[in-house]
Amino acid sequence: MQRKEMVPGWAGALAGLVSGGVALGMAQLVAGVVGPETSPVVAVGDAAVDLTPAPLKEFAIRTFGESDKTVLVGGVLVVLAVIAAAIGVLARRARAYGFAGLSAFGVIGLLAVLTRPDAGALDVLPTLIGVVAAAWTLSWLLGRAEGGPVPGSATSGGVAGDGAGVKRSVAGADDGPPVAAGAAEDVGVERPAVMRAGAELRAFDRRRLLTGVAGGVVVAGAATVLGRQLGGRQTVDAARVGVALPRAANPAKPLPAGTDFHINGLSSFITKNKDFYRVDTALVVPQVEPADWTLRIHGLVDRPVELTYDDLLKMPLTEADVTLTCVSNEVGGPYVGNARWLGLRMSEVLRRAGLRSGADMLLSTSADGFTCGTPVDVVMDGREALFAVAMNGEALPVEHGFPVRQVVPGLYGYVSATKWVVDVKVTTFDADEAYWTPRGWSAKGPIKTQSRIDVPRPGDSLRAGRTKIAGVAWAQHTGVDAVEVRVDGGQWKQATLAQVPGPDTWRQWSIDWDLAAGDHTIQVRATDASGYTQTEQLAPPAPDGATGWHTVTVQAA
């Protein structure tokens, strides 16, 4: 005998949503064992990042800043929620529709997982188990919602059809669905049903559905939490805290007096780790155990090198103050920061490996498969290019590349600052391309001279009279020689510069200005040690860094 499902649409959607939640929770739980990057949400999100056109990525970074990954994951979850709800609605009529929808969802997840770099056979388990869990949950919830046969129906001794034992709905409308007499008085049970010849009359049981939903939510939440704990973050955090950093064989010189003006609102000379910007392609921060970490140097070398974390810490380490900048930074943007790094000079490792003639690029790869291409001549010209292990006196934060990352002064991060670095192939720009190059960005990425106004902020209301204007300027590995400020398009005036330990850091600047009452436009420009002065011409970040004068508008009264 066929059964005609009469679960309301909202109930089917709710069952679908909860089933989707269970799927993601179970997938997260299994991914905690197999690897966090194998979660279907992460895999689909990573695929979306890779497939997104460069202009759209720039828009996301510009609009959402360091929250761009959160927004992307949130968007993926919203889409999944809509699909899950639709699957639940379809499954009310026939389970096969729901299972087909879940299978299609699973195929998408499997394709995203299997197209990841270094994907393995076990990586499919989170998606497969998630889909199976969703199918079982969906069937179970809809079964609870359907309840049992309505008294007086064909299977309970009644007559199929609009005969005795059936009355109209409580609403009393002529076109309302019929329910069994007396059924409306059952607490928590609704009885919408339609009799068809040869069909079984079923009752909708809201109470059993909602209790099942509550159970599904608990399972989804518990699986998600446990999966994240199993994902290794706590283990890696504990390992990071336990790292005993060696003394630097080549310590940085003490900062000269006057490197920081200590002006309220002005970026400090050293950026705290918690405040340091983060821009990368990793939706899930790679969890790399230092005991498992190795760095392989190979390619156009005479003697391939492989280092463990302990090997690296035993080698003579160098300390250096270096400012990093992201190529996505708009004029006046926040994606720049300065820190004191500790690490092994990249040039020492490359000399040990023996560079071959013609090699001009280092193709570095992170633990999550991201690649960047760094010019060999920049790394070998004497600057403090490091395989860094520490940042501002502590082991690298996990989100900033623990256990090891690259730091190369003078190059934008997308061609130099590989986090969680595990592999360096010595090659050529003709033979290999890094992640961002085929997406329209410049292959070499030298940092452009820039300056920024930190004080006052755009839109500030100030008191007329003597006003402090201050900010930072940078021209890594060239150095900033002068900063000029002008107000309302007037004459440029020289700002006072703070001291710096060398050419690889940003430089604070400050000037006092008498502002009359009214609206004012303030502009800044920097001149580097080569004699180059910032151009006024505005250019976007793509393909090789933004240009233009930072401008803020304020009101004095």
Side-chain angles (χ1 to χ4, degrees), residues 141-164:
L141 288 175
L142 290 177
R144 291 180 64 86
E146 288 162 4
V150 175
S153 70
T155 58
S156 58
V159 178
D162 291 333

Side-chain angles (χ1 to χ4, degrees), residues 358-379:
D360 63 7
M361 181 177 82
L362 305 176
L363 184 69
S364 54
T365 304
S366 73
D368 66 344
F370 172 81
T371 59
C372 82
T374 308
V376 169
D377 60 343
V378 170
V379 172

Side-chain angles (χ1 to χ4, degrees), residues 26-79:
M26 295 303 295
Q28 181 71 52
L29 178 59
V30 180
V33 178
V34 179
E37 69 281 358
T38 62
S39 164
V41 174
V42 173
V44 170
D46 282 336
V49 170
D50 291 343
L51 296 173
T52 300
L56 189 54
K57 290 182 181 179
E58 295 169 39
F59 169 79
I61 294 174
R62 184 169 61 251
T63 305
F64 304 113
E66 295 183 49
S67 299
D68 59 339
K69 299 172 186 64
T70 303
V71 172
L72 174 59
V73 172
V76 171
L77 291 175
V78 169
V79 171

Side-chain angles (χ1 to χ4, degrees), residues 95-379:
R95 299 289 194 272
Y97 295 158
F99 297 157
L102 290 172
S103 297
F105 166 74
V107 169
I108 294 172
L110 289 174
L111 289 174
V113 168
L114 291 174
T115 53
R116 288 177 40 255
D118 302 323
L122 290 179
D123 293 356
V124 304
L125 287 179
T127 301
L128 290 177
I129 292 177
V131 170
V132 170
W136 185 90
T137 303
L138 181 61
S139 181
W140 179 68
L141 288 175
L142 290 177
R144 291 180 64 86
E146 288 162 4
V150 175
S153 70
T155 58
S156 58
V159 178
D162 291 333
V166 176
K167 71 175 184 179
R168 288 293 176 185
S169 64
V170 176
D174 289 339
D175 57 350
V179 298
E185 289 77 22
D186 291 350
V187 179
V189 179
E190 297 176 9
R191 304 277 187 187
V194 173
M195 295 301 300
R196 296 287 189 268
E200 177 187 17
L201 185 61
R202 309 289 292 185
F204 169 56
D205 195 326
R206 180 172 53 189
R207 177 182 296 169
R208 281 172 55 82
L209 171 65
L210 295 180
T211 55
V213 163
V217 170
V218 170
V219 170
T224 300
V225 171
L226 182 57
R228 288 178 177 174
Q229 290 179 341
L230 292 174
R233 179 63 188 249
Q234 292 180 335
T235 303
V236 172
D237 281 343
R240 174 183 173 273
V241 172
V243 170
L245 294 172
R247 290 179 177 271
N250 304 295
K253 295 179 180 179
L255 295 179
T259 56
D260 201 315
F261 288 146
H262 299 291
I263 297 171
N264 187 34
L266 173 61
S267 300
S268 60
F269 179 73
I270 295 292
T271 307
K272 295 179 180 179
N273 290 358
K274 67 180 180 65
D275 298 327
F276 210 94
Y277 78 93
R278 178 197 165 201
V279 176
D280 52 55
T281 62
L283 286 183
V284 174
V285 176
Q287 307 296 306
V288 183
E289 289 273 6
D292 299 330
W293 179 87
T294 59
L295 175 64
R296 179 174 172 239
I297 312 291
H298 61 104
L300 297 178
V301 296
D302 296 326
R303 299 169 297 278
V305 173
E306 187 167 302
L307 297 174
T308 67
Y309 192 64
D310 285 341
D311 291 337
L312 194 155
L313 293 183
K314 291 175 183 175
M315 299 179 75
L317 303 186
T318 295
E319 206 172 41
D321 297 306
V322 178
T323 293
L324 299 185
T325 310
C326 179
V327 72
S328 298
N329 206 36
E330 299 277 356
V331 172
Y335 303 134
V336 56
N338 185 59
R340 175 162 288 189
W341 309 90
L342 174 69
L344 177 64
R345 285 190 177 123
M346 295 174 65
S347 58
E348 292 184 18
V349 182
L350 294 174
R351 289 192 182 96
R352 174 186 290 194
L355 290 173
R356 291 182 182 173
S357 176
D360 63 7
M361 181 177 82
L362 305 176
L363 184 69
S364 54
T365 304
S366 73
D368 66 344
F370 172 81
T371 59
C372 82
T374 308
V376 169
D377 60 343
V378 170
V379 172

Side-chain angles (χ1 to χ4, degrees), residues 476-489:
Q476 290 93 311
H477 208 61
T478 302
V480 172
D481 264 11
V483 172
E484 299 170 285
V485 177
R486 72 176 182 180
V487 177
D488 299 330

